Amino acid sequence: VSPSLSALRPLSAAILIGLAGLAQASSSGLVISQVYGGGAATSGSPTFRNDYVELFNAGTAPVSLAGLSLQYASATGTGSFASNSPIALPAATLQPGQYFLVSLPTSSTVGPVLPVAADFSPTTTVPNLSATGGKLALVNSTTGLTCNGGSTACSPAQLAQIIDLIGYGSANFYEGAAPADAGSTTTALLRAGQ
């Protein structure tokens, strides 16, 4: 497991997610600490060619990723989290203070590769994250949620499965008072204090 993504942080002129209180959203302390959706570009100058998600164990006890998934939905579209192929996480355990880098596959050859090795690179079809707006949930299940939090509200049972959620840009589903700022092909979203 990567000790830190300090090599990534200065390279992607990061936008701080103004939702520091979200670290308490997870009773285990497991949070989404960074999201980059600018990969998979076919032109321009993206910071990296791969989208990525970084998880962080902000708690005081080890946390297993077995049975968890990352699920994505567009910022305001009508598709559910389930319609975007949930990314089942491996049976890895994060110690307190550990980061876990998930590098998403791409067919793009535009932009540099990530400067650190990923802890997990799924080989199945996964959604391309939008750089400017979307909803990314860390879910306590590998089954896709049949809601999107906007046009199709999530039931209390579905909400209970969401360990952490980041809505950014024009997202209509998020934790906190408002969605995080939009990212870009040259900026990642960083959770404040992580």
Side-chain angles (χ1 to χ4, degrees):
V1 176
S2 302
S4 159
L5 291 182
S6 57
L8 289 177
R9 293 177 191 275
L11 291 174
S12 55
I15 298 172
L16 290 180
I17 295 176
L19 303 173
L22 283 183
Q24 279 67 51
S26 165
S27 61
S28 68
L30 187 62
V31 295
I32 299 168
S33 62
Q34 190 172 161
V35 176
Y36 175 70
T42 56
S43 62
S45 300
T47 301
F48 302 114
R49 73 176 59 169
N50 293 78
D51 291 343
Y52 66 81
V53 178
E54 177 192 74
L55 303 177
F56 179 65
N57 182 356
T60 58
V63 178
S64 174
L65 301 181
L68 307 184
S69 65
L70 291 169
Q71 299 190 24
Y72 176 77
S74 68
T76 59
T78 59
S80 68
F81 287 105
S83 58
N84 284 311
S85 300
I87 302 163
L89 296 171
T93 298
L94 271 66
Q95 298 300 318
Q98 270 191 321
Y99 293 89
F100 189 86
L101 176 62
V102 179
S103 174
L104 303 180
T106 182
S107 58
S108 176
T109 57
V110 179
V113 297
L114 296 175
V116 297
D119 297 300
F120 177 58
S121 298
T123 56
T124 57
T125 301
V126 299
N128 287 328
L129 306 182
S130 168
T132 58
K135 299 172 280 202
L136 183 69
L138 176 61
V139 179
N140 190 13
S141 172
T142 56
T143 301
L145 298 174
T146 57
C147 63
N148 62 28
S151 62
T152 306
C154 295
S155 69
Q158 290 169 322
L159 291 173
Q161 289 184 298
I162 298 175
I163 297 168
D164 196 17
L165 169 70
I166 294 183
Y168 59 100
S170 61
N172 57 14
F173 184 45
Y174 46 84
E175 291 181 348
D181 292 335
S184 72
T185 59
T186 58
T187 57
L189 300 170
L190 279 177
R191 171 170 266 131
Q194 304 297 316

